[in-house]
């Protein structure tokens, strides 16, 4: 069973537009929510992460919004650029558990 | 230059053969992980190790084996018992379990 559900599976956005990817989780013990970016043939790299004591975190053009009561979090990519074209994975983990649960991934294509 | 290295980048195997994938890190991380990535399925955890000489099965451990004799090394053996081994294999490490995971560049295994 997938403990972290990610949507959409893919999305196409025009340059300068906003990309939004959503994730939902079930286990209330999760306390660390990272987003990873992966380019074809490469390993994923951490993009941004949030803990449940804050509702939003922004780093440059990337923002995580976190809704603890709804058990949902999302990634917003503002002013999307062709170089942002990649697959994005959300994940959830607990310090005590040690294992990350990854979403299925979202392939983002930014058109010129 | 700190990081995680995986070798080889591409690996071909005949059916019925065991093959070992290498993963080395010089980040002085305690925890190491092996994931399998298939198209559209995200990252699935095979094995993880929180400390030297100790490791636990992940979600899809059948047909795989690991060892953790040294802190910097976590090799993965894909045995002939793994029925569908063709995939992209990713190794990761973290300072401690539940912390940010750093990924290697991956090994693409193809069974001929």
């Amino acid at each position: 069973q997938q403990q972290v559900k990610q949507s959409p599976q893919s999305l196409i956005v025009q340059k300068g537009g906003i990309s939004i990817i959503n994730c939902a989780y079930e286990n209330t013990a999760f306390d660390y929510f990272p987003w990873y970016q992966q380019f074809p043939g490469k390993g994923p790299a951490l993009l941004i992460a949030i803990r449940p004591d804050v509702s939003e975190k922004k780093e440059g053009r990337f923002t995580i919004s976190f809704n603890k009561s709804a058990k949902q979090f999302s990634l917003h990519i503002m002013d999307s650029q062709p170089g942002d074209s990649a697959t994005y994975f959300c994940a959830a983990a607990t310090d005590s558990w040690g294992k990350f649960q990854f979403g299925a991934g979202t392939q983002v294509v930014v058109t010129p | 230059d700190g990081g995680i290295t995986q070798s080889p980048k591409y690996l071909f195997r005949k059916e019925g053969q065991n093959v070992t994938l290498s993963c080395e890190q010089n980040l002085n991380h305690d925890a190491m992980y092996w994931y399998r990535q298939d198209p559209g399925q995200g990252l699935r955890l095979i094995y993880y190790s929180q400390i030297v000489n100790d490791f636990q099965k992940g979600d899809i451990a059948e047909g795989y084996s690991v060892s953790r004799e040294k802190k910097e090394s976590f090799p993965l053996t894909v045995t002939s018992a793994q029925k569908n081994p063709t995939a992209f294999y990713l190794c990761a490490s973290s300072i401690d379990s539940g912390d940010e995971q750093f990924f290697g560049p991956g090994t693409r295994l193809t069974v001929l």
Side-chain angles (χ1 to χ4, degrees):
Chain A
Q1 72 285 11
Q2 197 164 29
Q3 296 199 32
V4 178
K5 296 184 178 180
Q6 184 172 345
S7 63
Q9 191 172 18
S10 63
L11 70 93
I12 300 173
V13 61
Q14 284 191 332
K15 179 181 176 181
I18 302 173
S19 305
I20 302 175
I21 306 170
N22 300 298
C23 284
Y25 62 96
E26 290 296 325
N27 189 343
T28 55
F30 289 140
D31 57 9
Y32 177 61
F33 302 91
W35 283 91
Y36 282 82
Q37 180 188 54
Q38 184 180 30
F39 294 105
K42 305 293 184 184
L46 180 69
L47 190 62
I48 187 173
I50 197 169
R51 293 198 180 266
D53 52 344
V54 297
S55 60
E56 185 174 282
K57 183 174 181 179
K58 183 177 181 179
E59 290 185 3
R61 296 183 293 106
F62 302 91
T63 300
I64 298 179
S65 296
F66 184 79
N67 186 329
K68 188 174 182 178
S69 61
K71 292 186 286 185
Q72 295 176 348
F73 58 110
S74 60
L75 176 69
H76 295 231
I77 306 174
M78 314 299 288
D79 186 26
S80 297
Q81 300 297 311
D84 297 332
S85 297
T87 299
Y88 294 82
F89 293 95
C90 64
T94 70
D95 286 342
S96 58
W97 192 12
K99 297 193 297 181
F100 278 30
Q101 292 293 330
F102 283 88
T106 297
Q107 185 174 17
V108 174
V109 175
V110 181
T111 60
Chain B
D1 191 20
I4 302 176
T5 57
Q6 291 185 242
S7 60
K9 186 172 178 67
Y10 299 97
L11 188 58
F12 297 90
R13 187 196 93 173
K14 293 182 179 179
E15 282 192 24
Q17 287 182 337
N18 293 355
V19 63
T20 297
L21 282 59
S22 169
C23 177
E24 303 278 333
Q25 54 98 359
N26 60 4
L27 301 168
N28 200 32
H29 287 173
D30 282 323
M32 296 188 74
Y33 313 80
W34 272 106
Y35 293 91
R36 170 180 172 140
Q37 185 173 27
D38 296 283
Q41 293 196 42
L43 283 70
R44 292 184 291 168
L45 183 64
I46 304 173
Y47 268 98
Y48 67 105
S49 168
Q50 294 176 297
I51 199 167
V52 176
N53 292 322
D54 186 50
F55 50 83
Q56 288 82 39
K57 293 182 179 179
D59 300 319
I60 55 165
E62 185 176 351
Y64 300 97
S65 66
V66 293
S67 63
R68 186 83 188 278
E69 297 176 1
K70 297 186 295 182
K71 187 175 185 178
E72 60 270 23
S73 179
F74 191 40
L76 173 74
T77 297
V78 184
T79 74
S80 56
Q82 169 51 234
K83 299 305 179 187
N84 185 23
T86 294
F88 189 50
Y89 290 87
L90 287 159
C91 178
S93 71
S94 62
I95 294 174
D96 200 351
S97 58
D99 289 318
E100 174 190 351
Q101 292 187 13
F102 294 82
F103 284 83
T107 292
R108 186 166 298 280
L109 173 64
T110 302
V111 175
L112 303 173

